[in-house]
Amino acid sequence: MTEEFSEKIRQNETAVGELEEHRIRLESLRSEIENIKNLAEALEGANRDLVNEQEMMRSTNQSLVNDLETVRSVNQNLSIELETMRTANQELVNDLNAVRTTNQELMYDLNKIREYNSELTKDLETTRATNRDLKKELDTVKAFNQNLMNDLDAMRKDNQNLKSDLDSVRAINQSLVNDLHALRTAHQNLIHDLETILSSRSWRWSKPIRIAGGAIRALKRMLLAGRKADLVPVYQLERINDHTWRSTGNDPHFEWRKPLLGGWIRIHVEGKADKNTLLHLYYETGEGFNGNQVVEAGRLGTKWTVSRTVVKLPKNVSGLRLDIGEYEQTLQLGAIHARKVYRLERLMLSVINYFRLHGFNLGTIWRLTKKALGLIRRNGLIGALKRADELAFRSPAVEMTDYQMFLQQEAELAESESVMRQTIESLAYKPLISVLVPVYNVDKKWLELCIQSVRKQVYPNWELCLVDDCSTKPHIRPTLEKYAAEDARIKVMFREKNGHISRASNDALAMASGEFIALLDHDDELTPNALYEVVKLLNEHPDTDIIYSDEDKITIKGERHSPFFKPDWSPDLLLSQMYICHLSVYRKTLVEQAGGFRVGFEGSQDYDLILRASELTNRIRHIPKILYHWRSIPSSTSMSDSSKSYTHLASLRALEETVKRRNLPATVHEIEGYSNIYLLRYQPVGNPKVSIIIPTRNMASIVSQCLQSIFEKTTYQYYEVIVIDNGSNDPENFKLYEYWKEREPERFVVYSYDIPFNYSKINNFGVSKATGELILLLNNDIEVITPDWLTEMAGQAIRPEIGAVGACLYYPDDTLQHGGVVLGLGGVAGHSHKHFPADNPGYFRRLQVISNYSAVTAACLMIKKSIFEEVGGLEETLQVAFNDVDFCLKVREKGYYNVWLPHVKLYHHESKSRGYEDTPEKIERFRGEINYMLEKWGHVLANDPFYNPNLTFAREDFSLGHPYIMEKGGKEKVVRV
């Protein structure tokens, strides 16, 4: 037992030693803390075993007390040692607690380290984001540097061009010096000759004749200059000195006191202004001034301008007012005169204008004579003289001065060549464009100008395909060969046999390798930016198949005139006239798919092509800029519509074949007195019933006139007339209703709808009562003129693609009241060609042909009942004004075309039953209706696709406005007026 006890003691001592060693290792090796922790747990277990053994030892000692008295002293020593062990154990416990405390501190430090690592991770992400931003900035800087390099290259090219120009200028200067020496010599010779003449006997004897001639010329100038206008400033004008004025608002005007002239008068104005400024002459005949009685009296340019304008005023003029623009600006006014223009002078001016535009030679003399005889044959002598007045004072020659001012302003606003070249460099899509030019016996001068206009294109990726159609003139071949040798982009082909323009054009098409083709006549010119504008549009709309632009004419002297500003794609207008014309650009594969240029349609081969090509695509876009100059020479069709009757007949055949090919229920008709315009008369397929809705209140005589003209003149029979009586209290109205109920019991009905006047709500109510497939909204003050009016309107309205159909409405004095509605005129909308005489053909004959418009007046509007209901009828918020415009825009928004018919003629006794907007309540309501339209349709009102933004938005006469210039991104650069 003692040995076992001793052994236990030794084991304890060993354990104590080992524990001591562990404690020392804990103090020296913190990195092995987990192992120490495990060891400590093992020691705790050992200690527990020791305690258990101690208890057993106590039991054993107690039982051996009696037997082992001799070993008490030993036990006493063991007790002491046991105490020592307890102390050691306590120390071990303390050390264990210390280890636990250290572990907690280490855990705390570990958490701190984790937090620090998390912060470092966030900093790393921030650094990475910063690096990405820096990389983007670096890419931007690289791109900017690349642009700078491109600009530097462009500047180098410009410098090279400038150097070439400088060399040219030096050569010109040398030539001028030589010319100056020659002029000086000629001047000395002239002085010598003049001295000889002045010293001659005949000069001395002819002095009285010269004095008399001078007096006659002075008298002529005095008579032709007319009387000086007596102008008195009335409003928004401040005098600075005798000839300088300051306009202080948007309505500056003078009272024109003398002379008060009626009839045809010539107004001579000299002066200048800060801006290009229109002058308007308002006239009154005893009832005060109004916005309808006004004529354009000239223009002031930004440089000193002399403007001569011929206008027609009523013979009973009692007052005149001269309005000077609509701006705050400084004006300088020189001489302002007015005089009468008599018929003989008007006739002479018409002849002079004709020769000015077309040149003076035997060909133009013959054509003018032929035209004059044709006018007399068709209209009689008096009618021919009236048309001569129109030729003199409504012709392009009269507008030439205005157009030159327009071109000056356009040049100031347009992109420079360097800007265009920079834009070209940035374009992603640069297709090759093949310009097709069939050539036949054209004068060398015009042919060279034509070719040079292509070579001057700012856009460089083009090719010129010239096909000579076996010309007999000797200069053709060497001229074409010369240009082909100078420029590799020019291809030339010489036909061995004359095949006319269609075959020559097909040969040019076969030569073309471009993705697009552009059509150019051999005596016309492209503007330098023509192909640039085409490619710029293609980059914005790469799916485009057909592109066309505006155009003007150019005289043999290089004077530009007669600008034709066209609408956007108008399918019904195309079926009336070839308005697309020049410049036209086609996707080559589309032309090939359409079959190219058809032999047998020479003279109108381009019209035949667009009719066929437009059946294969609707991706047709218009550039509202002049990109083409059509040469007006005696051999050109630009000179006159009647210069080539075969073009009229070829166009007629092309149109007839189009009607047959498309299976249209229509017939093609020529328009008497005019060439190259046509009328399609559609049959009302299915004989649809027409419900005529007529709102009215009182005014029995007006309503009677309307009803009588309908029932007695209308040739179409399947219709009903629905009168919506809006609170009439005149017994004559009810007698009238009973009369027509008895006469037309199957076709006449009256419904009472007694509410405060609301045109939209009344008509919506009327449509709800209609039983017809077609609805005709008709004012009660309409009077039928043409008997087949309902047949023609129904034939159009029943077409699946057509929405609203409008008619040609006249005032009782036979001036136009409605020729279609143009958006944006006067702020919201206005009537096309308002107040034009009934026989006036309108802007490029728009009053003679069926045309698409954004809207037509509801004074006479036909539409399918299903479409009326599809768009929700008339907007009842618009009680009086603009409800028809809003309605037509809703119809257009659904994808239908609205159309106006020139041959459906009616009188409109406007506003007779409701009066004018002349009370505060009506004015306030009208302002609210304007605001409604601007808020709902403002984006649409500013961009009428069936008008042209280069035309005026201040008047209803299709006259020139300001140039329409678009910045990059489609933003408008100028305010349109």
Side-chain angles (χ1 to χ4, degrees):
M1 293 295 276
T2 303
E3 290 178 358
E4 290 178 0
F5 185 76
S6 298
E7 183 63 23
K8 292 290 185 183
I9 291 173
R10 283 195 299 272
Q11 290 177 357
N12 286 338
E13 288 176 349
T14 302
V16 170
E18 289 176 353
L19 185 60
E20 185 66 19
E21 289 176 2
H22 284 301
R23 187 181 62 193
I24 294 169
R25 288 181 64 191
L26 281 172
E27 292 176 353
S28 61
L29 301 171
R30 283 181 175 266
S31 62
E32 299 178 2
I33 189 64
E34 289 298 323
N35 293 333
I36 294 172
K37 182 178 179 182
N38 295 334
L39 183 57
E41 291 176 353
L43 287 174
E44 283 183 19
N47 285 337
R48 284 193 297 272
D49 293 337
L50 288 173
V51 171
N52 293 332
E53 290 178 3
Q54 186 179 13
E55 290 297 325
M56 291 174 64
M57 287 172 65
R58 284 178 182 173
S59 302
T60 303
N61 287 340
Q62 185 65 37
S63 63
L64 295 174
V65 169
N66 297 328
D67 298 329
L68 298 173
E69 288 293 342
T70 57
V71 293
R72 281 180 179 174
S73 58
V74 176
N75 285 342
Q76 186 64 39
N77 292 335
L78 287 174
S79 297
I80 294 169
E81 290 177 6
L82 183 59
E83 288 297 327
T84 304
M85 290 176 65
R86 286 175 176 169
T87 302
N89 286 340
Q90 185 63 45
E91 291 176 356
L92 286 172
V93 170
N94 293 337
D95 290 340
L96 183 60
N97 291 333
V99 168
R100 287 174 174 167
T101 302
T102 302
N103 286 342
Q104 291 176 350
E105 293 175 352
L106 288 173
M107 288 299 294
Y108 177 78
D109 292 340
L110 182 61
N111 290 333
K112 286 290 186 183
I113 290 170
R114 287 174 177 166
E115 292 176 1
Y116 180 69
N117 287 342
S118 178
E119 293 175 358
L120 286 177
T121 302
K122 291 179 181 178
D123 292 341
L124 181 61
E125 290 298 326
T126 303
T127 303
R128 287 174 177 166
T130 303
N131 288 341
R132 286 194 294 270
D133 293 339
L134 289 173
K135 185 178 180 181
K136 289 180 182 178
E137 291 180 8
L138 180 61
D139 292 339
T140 303
V141 170
K142 286 179 179 177
F144 179 72
N145 288 341
Q146 185 61 44
N147 290 335
L148 288 177
M149 291 299 294
N150 294 338
D151 292 343
L152 182 60
D153 291 338
M155 290 175 66
R156 285 172 178 163
K157 292 178 183 177
D158 290 342
N159 287 339
Q160 188 63 36
N161 293 334
L162 288 172
K163 185 177 179 182
S164 300
D165 293 343
L166 181 60
D167 293 338
S168 300
V169 169
R170 286 172 176 165
I172 293 170
N173 285 342
Q174 185 60 45
S175 176
L176 289 173
V177 169
N178 296 335
D179 292 343
L180 182 60
H181 289 312
L183 285 171
R184 284 175 176 168
T185 302
H187 181 64
Q188 292 296 330
N189 294 334
L190 286 172
I191 291 175
H192 180 266
D193 294 343
L194 181 63
E195 290 173 349
T196 302
I197 292 171
L198 293 177
S199 61
S200 67
R201 183 181 301 174
S202 60
W203 179 259
R204 293 194 300 273
W205 287 358
S206 62
K207 183 176 181 180
I209 298 175
R210 292 197 308 277
I211 293 173
I216 291 172
R217 286 192 297 274
L219 179 62
K220 180 181 176 183
R221 285 195 299 271
M222 182 179 69
L223 292 174
L224 292 180
R227 296 164 58 187
K228 183 177 180 180
D230 181 12
L231 302 178
V232 178
V234 175
Y235 188 59
Q236 294 181 344
L237 285 166
E238 297 177 355
R239 183 190 292 272
I240 298 176
N241 55 45
D242 288 345
H243 300 290
T244 307
W245 299 83
R246 178 71 188 169
S247 63
T248 59
N250 60 3
D251 188 26
H253 56 265
F254 293 94
E255 179 189 355
W256 180 306
R257 291 187 174 177
K258 295 179 181 179
L260 291 178
L261 302 173
W264 290 98
I265 65 171
R266 186 184 186 100
I267 302 173
H268 174 102
V269 178
E270 297 180 12
K272 69 175 184 176
D274 293 342
K275 303 177 182 179
N276 290 320
T277 302
L278 281 172
L279 308 181
H280 289 100
L281 188 65
Y282 287 81
Y283 59 88
E284 60 112 351
T285 56
E287 298 179 356
F289 295 104
N290 65 68
N292 294 326
Q293 295 178 328
V294 59
V295 293
E296 189 174 311
R299 296 192 180 207
L300 298 178
T302 55
K303 298 179 180 178
W304 192 263
T305 306
V306 177
S307 173
R308 299 180 182 91
T309 308
V310 177
V311 299
K312 187 178 183 181
L313 299 177
K315 293 184 178 180
N316 59 337
V317 168
S318 60
L320 295 172
R321 190 186 90 189
L322 184 65
D323 281 35
I324 313 289
E326 301 172 343
Y327 319 107
E328 294 183 10
Q329 59 176 333
T330 301
L331 310 159
Q332 291 186 29
L333 296 178
I336 300 181
H337 297 87
R339 67 175 178 85
K340 274 187 168 294
V341 182
Y342 295 96
R343 172 157 285 174
L344 179 60
E345 182 183 356
R346 299 200 299 272
L347 184 61
M348 290 176 61
L349 281 173
S350 67
V351 174
I352 292 169
N353 286 337
Y354 183 86
F355 289 127
R356 180 185 178 188
L357 291 178
H358 306 302
F360 183 76
N361 52 49
L362 290 176
T364 53
I365 293 172
W366 165 246
R367 292 179 190 283
L368 181 60
T369 303
K370 184 178 178 182
K371 188 168 186 175
L373 292 174
L375 284 174
I376 293 172
R377 185 174 61 253
R378 289 192 302 269
N379 305 291
L381 182 60
I382 300 301
L385 290 173
K386 287 181 64 178
R387 293 297 298 272
D389 283 345
E390 292 178 10
L391 182 63
F393 303 119
R394 296 171 188 167
S395 71
V398 176
E399 297 176 357
M400 191 177 288
T401 301
D402 291 345
Y403 187 44
Q404 298 312 309
M405 294 176 64
F406 177 95
L407 293 176
Q408 290 174 10
Q409 188 176 9
E410 182 183 52
E412 294 170 0
L413 296 168
E415 294 175 285
S416 66
E417 184 174 329
S418 61
V419 171
M420 285 190 281
R421 293 191 186 279
Q422 289 175 10
T423 302
I424 291 170
E425 290 297 322
S426 67
L427 294 177
Y429 179 41
K430 301 174 186 176
L432 176 64
I433 298 179
S434 301
V435 182
L436 310 188
V437 182
V439 178
Y440 182 73
N441 280 349
V442 62
D443 289 350
K444 181 179 180 181
K445 178 180 180 181
W446 311 133
L447 178 59
E448 289 190 330
L449 287 173
C450 172
I451 296 173
Q452 289 167 11
S453 76
V454 179
R455 298 187 69 187
K456 290 178 182 177
Q457 289 301 301
V458 178
Y459 180 72
N461 195 21
W462 54 264
E463 65 176 8
L464 178 58
C465 301
L466 295 158
V467 175
D468 174 50
D469 194 22
C470 199
S471 295
T472 58
K473 291 187 176 181
H475 63 266
I476 298 294
R477 179 179 284 269
T479 301
L480 298 182
E481 290 176 340
K482 167 180 172 284
Y483 281 103
E486 291 178 356
D487 197 324
R489 296 173 294 180
I490 298 178
K491 301 178 179 180
V492 177
M493 174 184 175
F494 297 96
R495 289 177 52 85
E496 296 180 356
K497 181 180 179 181
N498 179 262
H500 299 295
I501 192 169
S502 292
R503 289 189 176 93
S505 297
N506 283 330
D507 287 342
L509 178 65
M511 291 170 62
S513 54
E515 188 177 348
F516 290 86
I517 63 165
L519 307 183
L520 174 62
D521 287 349
H522 60 193
D523 51 3
D524 297 340
E525 298 179 36
L526 300 179
T527 63
N529 63 325
L531 300 185
Y532 163 75
E533 294 291 346
V534 168
V535 174
K536 193 164 68 167
L537 183 145
L538 286 171
N539 274 265
E540 295 173 0
H541 305 284
D543 64 336
T544 303
D545 291 323
I546 301 174
I547 299 170
Y548 65 97
S549 76
D550 299 335
E551 63 189 270
D552 63 12
K553 294 185 175 68
I554 188 168
T555 68
I556 57 177
K557 294 182 179 180
E559 296 175 304
R560 293 173 58 184
H561 65 95
S562 306
F564 183 12
F565 291 113
K566 309 167 187 176
D568 289 350
W569 175 238
S570 304
D572 287 286
L573 181 59
L574 185 67
L575 292 175
S576 302
Q577 66 176 157
M578 173 47 169
Y579 83 95
I580 298 288
C581 215
H582 307 300
L583 170 70
S584 55
V585 177
Y586 295 81
R587 191 178 295 275
K588 185 188 176 187
T589 53
L590 179 71
V591 177
E592 293 171 337
Q593 182 183 355
F597 300 90
R598 289 204 293 174
V599 175
F601 291 87
E602 285 76 11
S604 291
Q605 71 286 340
D606 51 352
Y607 187 32
D608 176 59
L609 175 63
I610 185 63
L611 287 171
R612 288 180 288 116
S614 61
E615 295 167 8
L616 303 176
T617 182
N618 60 1
R619 294 186 291 270
I620 304 171
R621 290 187 170 87
H622 166 228
I623 300 174
K625 292 183 179 181
I626 301 287
L627 302 182
Y628 192 102
H629 306 315
W630 196 356
R631 183 85 55 191
S632 52
I633 54 178
S635 60
S636 171
T637 55
S638 71
M639 177 182 159
S640 170
D641 294 327
S642 59
S643 65
K644 291 184 180 178
S645 60
Y646 76 91
T647 65
H648 173 79
L649 297 177
S651 295
L652 179 63
R653 283 186 53 228
L655 199 53
E656 288 173 338
E657 288 203 9
T658 298
V659 169
K660 184 177 180 180
R661 187 172 58 249
R662 298 182 186 181
N663 197 28
L664 299 178
T667 54
V668 183
H669 299 263
E670 300 176 70
I671 297 177
E672 186 178 358
Y674 294 94
S675 297
N676 298 303
I677 60 173
Y678 311 91
L679 180 67
L680 259 67
R681 294 182 179 270
Y682 286 83
Q683 297 301 313
V685 178
N687 195 36
K689 183 178 182 179
V690 180
S691 296
I692 304 174
I693 314 296
I694 305 176
T696 190
R697 183 179 187 275
N698 295 327
M699 293 302 210
S701 60
I702 294 297
V703 181
S704 176
Q705 179 179 256
C706 176
L707 294 175
Q708 185 172 355
S709 70
I710 292 171
F711 287 117
E712 294 183 0
K713 293 183 179 181
T714 303
T715 55
Y716 189 78
Q717 293 300 306
Y718 196 31
Y719 67 90
E720 64 176 354
V721 176
I722 302 173
V723 172
I724 308 299
D725 187 277
N726 183 220
S728 295
N729 52 20
D730 184 351
E732 294 299 319
N733 275 72
F734 301 106
K735 291 180 182 178
L736 178 67
Y737 300 156
E738 292 302 320
Y739 171 80
W740 284 109
K741 284 179 182 179
E742 290 179 6
R743 289 198 58 178
E744 296 286 346
E746 301 297 326
R747 295 196 297 189
F748 181 79
V749 63
V750 178
Y751 291 97
S752 177
Y753 196 51
D754 190 4
I755 61 170
F757 181 74
N758 183 317
Y759 182 85
S760 299
K761 186 175 289 188
I762 295 170
N763 275 285
N764 288 342
F765 174 77
V767 171
S768 71
K769 302 298 182 182
T771 61
E773 183 180 351
L774 300 177
I775 299 297
L776 176 68
L777 305 183
L778 194 70
N779 276 20
N780 63 351
D781 52 0
I782 292 292
E783 180 184 356
V784 175
I785 299 175
T786 51
D788 61 351
W789 69 291
L790 214 56
T791 305
E792 292 295 323
M793 295 188 78
Q796 292 282 351
I798 204 65
R799 294 167 57 194
E801 69 273 24
I802 295 299
V805 179
C808 181
L809 305 183
Y810 293 111
Y811 289 111
D813 62 356
D814 288 319
T815 59
L816 190 68
Q817 188 269 337
H818 172 254
V821 173
V822 175
L823 305 181
L825 294 185
V828 176
H831 285 190
S832 158
H833 297 91
K834 195 172 184 179
H835 299 294
F836 272 47
D839 60 350
N840 191 294
Y843 182 74
F844 283 88
R845 300 175 299 184
R846 282 291 287 271
L847 295 181
Q848 296 293 325
V849 295
I850 296 173
S851 305
N852 297 112
Y853 279 93
S854 287
V856 293
T857 179
C860 181
L861 183 156
M862 186 179 288
I863 194 168
K864 297 184 193 72
K865 185 178 181 181
S866 60
I867 298 178
F868 188 94
E869 293 171 341
E870 179 184 356
V871 301
L874 297 176
E875 174 56 57
E876 296 181 1
T877 303
L878 300 170
Q879 300 176 29
V880 178
F882 306 125
N883 39 53
D884 46 6
V885 178
D886 174 79
F887 174 77
C888 288
L889 290 180
K890 291 191 294 183
V891 171
R892 200 187 86 181
E893 197 173 45
K894 291 292 184 180
Y896 300 101
Y897 284 103
N898 300 322
V899 68
W900 175 80
L901 309 182
H903 55 297
V904 174
K905 302 179 186 295
L906 306 96
Y907 284 119
H908 186 195
H909 307 271
E910 189 179 26
S911 299
K912 284 194 173 181
S913 66
R914 285 290 166 181
Y916 297 95
E917 307 290 344
D918 54 2
T919 67
E921 294 79 10
K922 289 183 178 181
I923 292 172
E924 183 63 28
R925 187 257 312 144
F926 183 59
R927 287 175 179 167
E929 290 167 335
I930 290 175
N931 291 334
Y932 177 92
M933 292 296 294
L934 293 176
E935 290 175 7
K936 182 177 180 181
W937 298 108
H939 62 293
V940 175
L941 299 179
N943 297 282
D944 190 337
F946 304 109
Y947 193 54
N948 189 293
N950 293 284
L951 300 175
T952 181
F953 283 81
R955 298 172 301 284
E956 298 170 309
D957 57 2
F958 276 68
S959 60
L960 283 176
H962 282 304
Y964 183 70
I965 306 295
M966 299 297 291
E967 291 180 328
K968 189 175 181 180
K971 183 180 178 183
E972 198 173 336
K973 192 172 181 178
V974 296
V975 177
R976 295 185 247 155
V977 299

